Amino acid sequence: MLSIIRSMALNGVDGYLINVQVDVSGGLPGWEIVGLPDTAIKESKERIRIAIRNSGIEFPSRKITVNLAPANTKKEGSFLDLPIAIGVLQAIGVLDIDDIDTTVFIGELSLDGVINKVNGILPRCIEAKKLGINRVIVPKENAKEAAIVKDLEVIPVRNLLETVYFLNGTKKIEKEIVDIEKIFSHKNKYKYDFSEIKGQGNIKRALEIAAAGAHNCLMVGSPGSGKTMMARRLPTILPDLTFEEALEVTKIHSISGILDNNSIITQRPFRAPHHTVSSVALIGGGKIPKPGEISLAHYGILFLDELTEFNKHTLEVLRVPLEDRKVSISRVNATLTYPCNFMLIASMNPCPCGYYGTKEKKCNCSEKQIKTYMGKISGPLLDRFDIQIEVKPVDFDKIKSNKKEEKSSDIKKRVDKARKIQYERYKQYNVFSNSELTPKLIEEFCILDEKSKNLLEMSYEKLGLSARAYSKILKVSRTIADLDGKTNIEVKHVAEAIQYRNLDRKYF
Amino acid sequence: MQAKVFASQLCLNGLNIVSGLAKGIDSIAHKSTIEQKGKTIAVLGSGFHYIYPKENEKLFYEILEKDGLIISEYSPSVGVKSSNFPERNRIISGISMGVLVVEAAYRSGTSITANYAKNQGRKLYAIPSNIGNNKGVGTARLIFNGAKIVINPKQIIEDLDMEYKQYKKQKVEENCIKIPEKFKKIYTSLKDAEMSSDEISVKLDIPIYDVNAQLILMELEGYVSKNENGEYKINNV
Ligand SMILES: [Zn+2]
């Protein structure tokens, strides 16, 4: 007898439907799985057989043929264990499932029949719903994540036997329900807040501008000046994720298998890979392809601490995805694409010893050593940072202030307002923030009056700004004007923007 | 800025100011002289068709327009070669009555010039500076090796057996002491201590964005500059 069970596979961040066709017939007992299964799926035969037997069901000693359609895509992973097992039981008459065409099965089996969690449940379920599937039967551990999808009945199952009882109608299993609105109303609980940092008004301001225009930012400062502390708090002043954005972020984390219990991610991700990270871990890929850190940072922040310590090659592969906001990974028979629209925040010391230009300690580095050190970061990569700023430890003796520090939520209000202005302004250009402006759009929207032009020209002459700072100063001035609620860029906006091009002046 | 004070006053007292058209002190020396309508000579380390550094192209032509002189021992088509720069320093010292070292890192080009000056029997002056400061190490060494310490231009003029004309000093100071009203608050606060923009903002209770914008404007107009630690200081002339 032939049975057809539906399941969902993954390609990049999207699910696609798989028909698991199982035929059980007379003839020499044996198993065959066709339709481009990878080795993990081929190995599942034994696992499924033992899992069925250990669930107390007699395994047929007949010829079993499994076909995975469509046959032209390579299927990876062990998520087909459950659908194949169900297909066998349906084919031999142990099960007689209603709605078999509109139900999807996903799950990995262990030898005792327990159903284990699978990565990427969310994207699979989103696509299933689009294809007209009403019901998904998924591992209990994945149920909350699946339940994010609206109007999809999610049945959480713990083991094979329970699944069989449920399908036969002898056991009731409550469908999983998640209250998205409730989760979203609790979303702004961050562990950190900018008000915890005393002083550092300059960096706070620079990060506020970065957040307001989605500008990448490079912080240069001696060890212990608080670079990491500042970066960690950046998500707290970024605009809230929309539901669509949250869904996309959750999808990627789901595929990577790092989603915690709370079904949907509502906070902007903050990813801080160590400088020993491999290119694959950073960019994505691998034998069983996974999104890299840059995709896990999608709609959030990628923080590279000690930028000069990273492998030079690793940093170079970052450049294209930074530009494209997505990354393509070539596979043997396909190309995967993961989104990676993130803000890049990086930190580095000013010199090899870390104390160049500080008062705390004397820097012993030669000019040549400092040049070599700075040279570790290529010009094109450096060009990706609109804002470059020096971070200095706070000298409390000097300021002696009891001023109350501003809360993240207050800063966020200004950021939100500035973002909204940009969103409206660039509506028809498929651009969302000032950082994304192309040279043509800069010409159109970052217009300087005579006075500002003169100021900029003078800065080149007198402050030794490099020519490549030009477009960055314009974009950052635009953001500063937006924060100020001004339609036109004014002299004070340009002057302030020049302050955030520190590196140009000091080293290059 | 010492370079500005010395160049201005020496040229006002009738000396020609010779330097190498390089960035930093060289440029300041040329520019200050032109400002005071004095005469200046730039000695190049490359041919006339190769003005180096590029950003001083404007200065190059300004020197010529303002009755100055450009000298090069290379034919116009010789390009920029770093090894030629120390060489040309022997001409700088050679055509001068004396050499004044404003700042010199250890083993820097300036130290080389000083050596030429010594061998050519030229007078050698140095402005003392903090030894802890990298740029001052070379100067300290020069002084140790016999350069004359000078703390004002008058000493040089008198050492050259000329009469120092005090009244012209006024002119230099005038240029720099008129502080526009809008900058006064920050400028005055920097008189007591050199401060970062953060510190100024807290001390004067002015929002950081205002302080940052004003400091750039002040810096461009020459009222303040950044020290090695990235703090702002007022420019005394
Ligand atoms: Zn150092």
Side-chain angles (χ1 to χ4, degrees):
Chain A
M1 242 189 96
L2 176 76
S3 68
I4 300 174
I5 303 293
R6 300 196 188 279
S7 189
M8 298 295 296
L10 269 187
N11 179 30
V13 284
D14 296 312
Y16 66 94
L17 189 74
I18 287 196
N19 283 317
V20 181
Q21 304 169 331
V22 182
D23 182 70
V24 179
S25 62
L28 282 179
W31 261 108
E32 199 174 358
I33 300 184
V34 296
L36 270 188
D38 75 344
T39 39
I41 292 178
K42 281 186 197 148
E43 282 163 6
S44 65
K45 285 187 285 196
E46 243 350 71
R47 208 164 50 228
I48 295 168
R49 194 174 63 79
I50 296 171
I52 290 179
R53 222 182 41 211
N54 283 343
S55 303
I57 304 164
E58 198 185 330
F59 193 82
S61 59
R62 276 184 280 173
K63 182 173 162 47
I64 300 170
T65 310
V66 177
N67 179 37
L68 308 174
N72 62 350
T73 58
K74 186 139 182 124
K75 287 81 181 177
E76 284 151 336
S78 47
F79 68 96
L80 287 170
D81 286 5
L82 180 63
I84 292 174
I86 297 293
V88 170
L89 298 179
Q90 173 90 353
I92 61 172
V94 171
L95 285 172
D96 181 15
I97 311 166
D98 307 329
D99 317 325
I100 199 159
D101 284 343
T102 52
T103 302
V104 147
F105 291 85
I106 303 163
E108 180 196 281
L109 286 173
S110 46
L111 296 180
D112 54 1
V114 166
I115 296 169
N116 300 324
K117 75 172 233 193
V118 165
N119 293 343
I121 286 286
L122 179 62
R124 294 175 210 258
C125 289
I126 289 173
E127 189 61 27
K129 181 67 210 170
K130 279 191 203 157
L131 295 172
I133 300 292
N134 301 327
R135 183 169 69 159
V136 292
I137 301 198
V138 298
K140 180 148 177 58
E141 271 186 81
N142 292 123
K144 277 201 175 126
E145 173 187 345
I148 297 169
V149 183
K150 257 195 200 132
D151 302 324
L152 184 68
E153 189 180 337
V154 176
I155 308 297
V157 288
R158 283 170 301 189
N159 58 57
L160 184 58
L161 192 61
E162 180 183 84
T163 314
V164 170
Y165 285 154
F166 170 76
L167 293 168
N168 277 342
T170 45
K171 184 182 163 110
K172 245 190 101 143
I173 297 179
E174 286 296 324
K175 62 179 179 189
E176 189 78 33
I177 290 170
V178 165
D179 187 346
I180 300 277
E181 301 214 339
K182 195 172 153 205
I183 295 174
F184 256 73
S185 65
H186 287 285
K187 65 193 162 189
N188 286 329
K189 298 256 161 66
Y190 283 97
K191 274 191 284 180
Y192 308 105
D193 199 283
F194 267 112
S195 60
E196 296 154 354
I197 298 174
K198 202 120 179 72
Q200 298 285 25
N202 197 33
I203 320 296
K204 283 180 186 170
R205 172 66 180 169
L207 289 180
E208 173 179 337
I209 296 166
H215 300 288
N216 296 331
C217 178
L218 176 60
M219 298 187 282
V220 183
S222 54
S225 53
K227 292 169 285 187
T228 307
M229 210 164 67
M230 301 295 285
R232 278 226 170 266
R233 283 157 178 81
L234 189 51
T236 64
I237 60 169
L238 287 174
D240 295 339
L241 283 177
T242 64
F243 179 72
E244 296 305 319
E245 286 170 340
L247 212 54
E248 228 182 295
V249 172
T250 312
K251 261 163 90 171
I252 297 165
H253 286 245
S254 162
I255 291 163
S256 300
I258 54 167
L259 204 58
D260 341 319
N261 291 342
N262 45 2
S263 55
I264 188 162
I265 295 174
T266 54
Q267 296 185 345
R268 293 194 180 263
F270 179 88
R271 303 292 302 182
H274 190 252
H275 59 71
T276 53
V277 69
S278 69
S279 320
V280 169
L282 187 68
I283 302 299
K287 200 155 156 272
I288 294 176
K290 269 191 181 176
E293 289 291 339
I294 59 170
S295 295
L296 293 172
H298 186 48
Y299 288 140
I301 286 155
L302 181 71
F303 177 53
L304 301 181
D305 197 10
E306 304 299 348
L307 191 63
T308 47
E309 299 298 313
F310 282 76
N311 178 301
K312 206 167 176 171
H313 169 75
T314 306
L315 290 182
E316 286 311 298
V317 290
L318 199 62
R319 273 171 44 202
V320 175
L322 253 173
E323 194 87 326
D324 297 348
R325 295 167 202 277
K326 61 180 193 251
V327 58
S328 296
I329 291 155
S330 294
R331 310 273 302 144
V332 185
N333 42 16
T335 303
L336 295 180
T337 304
Y338 294 124
C340 61
N341 186 0
F342 58 90
M343 257 174 87
L344 177 62
I345 307 295
S347 82
M348 62 188 280
N349 288 337
C351 69
C353 84
Y355 291 95
Y356 176 67
T358 67
K359 284 182 289 185
E360 318 134 76
K361 252 186 207 176
K362 198 174 167 299
C363 163
N364 291 316
C365 309
S366 70
E367 209 165 301
K368 200 177 156 209
Q369 277 174 318
I370 296 176
K371 270 225 165 90
T372 316
Y373 179 79
M374 300 301 294
K376 284 188 184 173
I377 297 161
S378 74
L381 178 63
L382 208 61
D383 262 354
R384 299 286 180 269
F385 295 101
D386 289 352
I387 294 176
Q388 312 160 337
I389 184 136
E390 273 176 286
V391 187
K392 295 182 173 304
V394 184
D395 188 346
F396 287 107
D397 294 340
K398 218 169 187 174
I399 56 177
K400 279 187 200 125
S401 160
N402 295 318
K403 215 178 114 199
K404 247 197 135 114
E405 299 296 339
E406 206 175 12
K407 280 209 192 82
S408 286
S409 53
D410 295 328
I411 305 174
K412 182 170 174 292
K413 272 183 206 144
R414 294 194 296 266
V415 170
D416 282 343
K417 226 173 97 196
R419 281 279 184 116
K420 220 175 138 201
I421 294 171
Q422 295 165 58
Y423 184 82
E424 289 296 320
R425 190 192 300 134
Y426 307 130
K427 243 195 299 200
Q428 43 177 323
Y429 300 95
N430 194 30
V431 161
F432 301 93
S433 64
N434 292 328
S435 67
E436 296 168 56
L437 292 181
T438 58
K440 219 179 138 218
L441 290 177
I442 291 179
E443 224 172 274
E444 191 171 344
F445 293 108
C446 305
I447 300 162
L448 299 188
D449 57 12
E450 266 328 290
K451 261 172 112 185
S452 305
K453 268 188 206 152
N454 287 342
L455 170 77
L456 206 49
E457 208 155 283
M458 243 163 89
S459 323
Y460 282 101
E461 232 170 83
K462 295 213 173 166
L463 306 178
L465 284 182
S466 71
R468 59 173 178 237
Y470 190 73
S471 64
K472 276 137 201 116
I473 291 175
L474 288 184
K475 286 197 267 186
V476 174
S477 313
R478 182 66 265 174
T479 303
I480 294 172
D482 288 339
L483 277 167
D484 198 14
K486 294 282 164 64
T487 318
N488 296 321
I489 299 175
E490 297 169 14
V491 170
K492 60 179 179 182
H493 304 138
V494 178
E496 194 190 348
I498 294 170
Q499 283 284 13
Y500 309 124
R501 294 299 296 175
N502 263 320
L503 238 54
D504 278 335
R505 298 180 50 183
K506 202 154 184 180
Y507 304 93
F508 295 97
Chain B
M1 277 284 238
Q2 298 296 354
K4 187 169 183 173
V5 181
F6 275 79
S8 307
Q9 307 234 17
L10 291 176
C11 79
L12 284 169
N13 274 278
L15 294 183
N16 281 354
I17 306 298
V18 186
S19 200
L21 199 75
K23 282 193 247 183
I25 302 290
D26 284 28
S27 304
I28 296 170
H30 291 307
K31 283 179 188 164
S32 318
T33 308
I34 293 172
E35 250 171 54
Q36 303 299 339
K37 301 197 167 56
K39 288 192 177 157
T40 187
I41 302 173
V43 184
L44 305 190
S46 53
F48 290 135
H49 293 167
Y50 292 90
I51 301 169
Y52 182 86
K54 260 239 134 23
E55 55 261 51
N56 275 352
E57 212 174 289
K58 217 173 134 192
L59 180 60
F60 179 100
Y61 291 109
E62 213 179 336
I63 291 174
L64 290 179
E65 275 163 28
K66 300 283 161 65
D67 254 0
L69 180 66
I70 311 268
I71 298 178
S72 171
E73 64 176 307
Y74 302 100
S75 74
S77 58
V78 174
V80 177
K81 210 171 136 203
S82 60
S83 60
N84 287 345
F85 287 97
E87 284 271 290
R88 70 88 202 264
N89 290 358
R90 76 186 198 289
I91 300 177
I92 295 183
S93 55
I95 62 172
S96 304
M97 297 160 78
V99 172
L100 168 66
V101 177
V102 180
E103 56 183 36
Y106 183 46
R107 285 185 201 280
S108 64
T110 315
S111 308
I112 295 166
T113 315
N115 250 330
Y116 282 130
K118 210 171 159 193
N119 296 335
Q120 292 162 342
R122 298 296 182 263
K123 304 240 183 195
L124 188 54
Y125 308 102
I127 303 170
S129 77
N130 184 357
I131 318 180
N133 175 338
N134 174 41
K135 287 182 174 161
V137 178
T139 331
R141 213 176 170 81
L142 288 175
I143 294 169
F144 185 76
N145 286 332
K148 272 189 187 148
I149 301 173
V150 289
I151 54 172
N152 61 45
K154 189 178 173 201
Q155 290 172 298
I156 295 179
I157 297 293
E158 282 172 354
D159 191 61
L160 294 170
D161 291 329
M162 295 164 66
E163 199 183 321
Y164 185 68
K165 291 168 197 159
Q166 177 82 30
Y167 66 95
K168 283 181 178 172
K169 200 178 156 203
Q170 222 70 36
K171 202 171 163 188
V172 183
E173 278 181 348
E174 266 174 19
N175 285 344
C176 301
I177 275 174
K178 264 187 246 144
I179 305 292
E181 205 52 45
K182 57 181 175 178
F183 296 150
K184 265 205 175 128
K185 209 168 164 195
I186 291 181
Y187 188 87
T188 313
S189 77
L190 286 173
K191 274 186 177 160
D192 307 327
E194 299 177 358
M195 287 190 284
S196 68
S197 57
D198 256 347
E199 289 159 351
I200 298 170
S201 163
V202 174
K203 193 166 177 188
L204 301 182
D205 198 21
I206 304 175
I208 185 72
Y209 52 86
D210 253 357
V211 172
N212 273 342
Q214 282 201 44
L215 282 169
I216 283 289
L217 297 173
M218 292 171 75
E219 194 176 356
L220 285 174
E221 292 184 28
Y223 300 116
V224 299
S225 58
K226 270 188 166 181
N227 71 13
E228 290 211 311
N229 301 326
E231 296 163 329
Y232 281 88
K233 58 176 187 196
I234 50 175
N235 287 339
N236 280 317
V237 172

